[in-house]
Amino acid sequence: MNEKQGMTLIVKTITRFTVWLIMLYGIFLIVHGHLTPGGGFVGGLVIALSFIHLTLAFGKGSHAKVPSEGASHVLEAAGVLMYIGIGIVALIAGLPFLLNFLGKGNLFDLFSAGTIPLLNIAIAMKVSAGIFLAYLLLTHIGRISQEEDEG
Amino acid sequence: MPVEGWLYFLTIFMIFASIVALEMKDLLSSIISVGMVGLAVAVAFLFLQAPDLALVQFVYEIITIVILILLLKSTAERFEKEREGKFSFVVKVLFIIAVLIAVTPLFSVLPSFGEPHMHVAERYLQEGARETGAANLVAAIILDYRAYDTLGEVTVLFVAILAVTTLLRRKPRKVKSDE
C-alpha cells in the first residue's frame, strides 16, 4: 500500500474498522426505510459518506475500491431510471402511474409495503452516487488548481 | 424543561451562530458556525419528534461541511477581504424592525403551536398503515401518497448533479470539427 498518500497510519487503521460499520448502517437505513425512521435519502447519504471517508483517509490511487466517476454516473442514472421504471410498470399493468401495485404483506415485516422498499433502493442508488460524484469532481478542481500553480 | 423552552434556547443559539458566521473574518470559523446552525436544527427536529428529518439533517450537514471545506481549500483564500458596506448598521436594523412589524399580523392566522390543521393528515394517520402496509408513516406518505413529489425531488437532484458535472468536468469533451 502506498504510505505517502492520505492521512497518517492511525487514521488509516481506524478507518479500516469503522468504514464497514458506517456502510452497514447505511444499508440498514435503506432496507428498513419502511419500518423505522430512515429511508433511501438518508441511507444513500450515509453510504456516500463512507466512500468519502475512504477517499479522505487513503488518498487517491489507493487499493480501496470506491466507484469511479463513470461508475457513479451510471449508478446515478440507473437510480432515476429504476424509479421511473417502477412507475411505468404500474402504468403497463393498467393502473395509475407510480401506484403501489405489489402485495402489501404484513405490517412490520421486512418484505412488506409493496413498492416502497424498491423505491427506497432506487433513491438510495441515486443519492449515494450523485453526492459522491459531486465530491469527486470538487476534489479534482482542487488538484487542477494546484497543478496550475506548480506548472 | 418543556419542549417550548428547549426550542427557544435552540432558536436563540441558532441566531447567535448565524451572526458569528456572518461576522467572522476567518472563513473556516464561518463554515463551522454554519455547521453549528444545522446541527441545532437537527436537535430541534428531535425535540419536535421528527426522527426522520433529524437523521437527514444530521447527515446532510456533515456532507455540507465537508464540501464547503473542500471549496475553501480549492479557492485558497482563508480570510475574508474587507468590504465597504453599502448600507450602514442602523439602516439594516431599521429595515429588519420594519419587516417584523409588517409580518407580525400574519402570525395570528397560523395555527397555534401543537395544534396543526388535520384535514388531510387525519386520514393518513388512521388509514396509512392499512392502505400502504408500511409501518413508517413518513415513508408511506413520501413514497406512496406523494410519490409524484418524490419523483420531482429526484429529478431536481439529478439535474443539479448534471449541472455540477457539466461545470466541473476535468477533461473538456473533444469537439469534432468539420474542417
Side-chain angles (χ1 to χ4, degrees), chain A residues 49-101:
Chain A
L49 262 183
S50 71
F51 289 149
I52 291 175
H53 189 166
L54 266 180
T55 40
L56 277 180
F58 288 99
K60 291 279 170 192
S62 68
H63 292 293
K65 295 283 184 208
V66 293
S68 63
E69 276 180 38
S72 301
H73 260 302
V74 172
L75 269 176
E76 191 203 3
V80 181
L81 272 182
M82 186 172 160
Y83 195 101
I84 299 174
I86 291 169
I88 288 178
V89 167
L91 203 62
I92 290 172
L95 297 163
F97 185 62
L98 273 174
L99 189 85
N100 194 345
F101 60 89

Side-chain angles (χ1 to χ4, degrees), chain B residues 28-103:
Chain B
L28 193 60
S29 308
S30 286
I31 289 172
I32 290 169
S33 302
V34 170
M36 293 311 293
V37 178
L39 293 180
V41 173
V43 176
F45 283 145
L46 273 183
F47 277 115
L48 291 170
Q49 303 185 356
D52 294 80
L53 274 177
L55 263 175
V56 175
Q57 184 65 34
F58 268 122
V59 181
Y60 210 72
E61 204 54 47
I62 292 165
I63 289 186
T64 312
I65 292 173
V66 168
I67 287 181
L68 280 177
I69 289 177
L70 272 176
L71 279 176
L72 185 65
K73 200 181 140 210
S74 59
T75 51
E77 282 178 16
R78 187 166 157 187
F79 294 97
E80 197 176 14
K81 285 168 193 149
E82 280 294 330
R83 281 179 308 191
E84 283 292 314
K86 213 171 185 180
F87 301 102
S88 67
F89 182 74
V90 182
V91 176
K92 285 177 195 164
V93 171
L94 283 178
F95 180 73
I96 289 173
I97 291 173
V99 168
L100 269 181
I101 291 172
V103 163

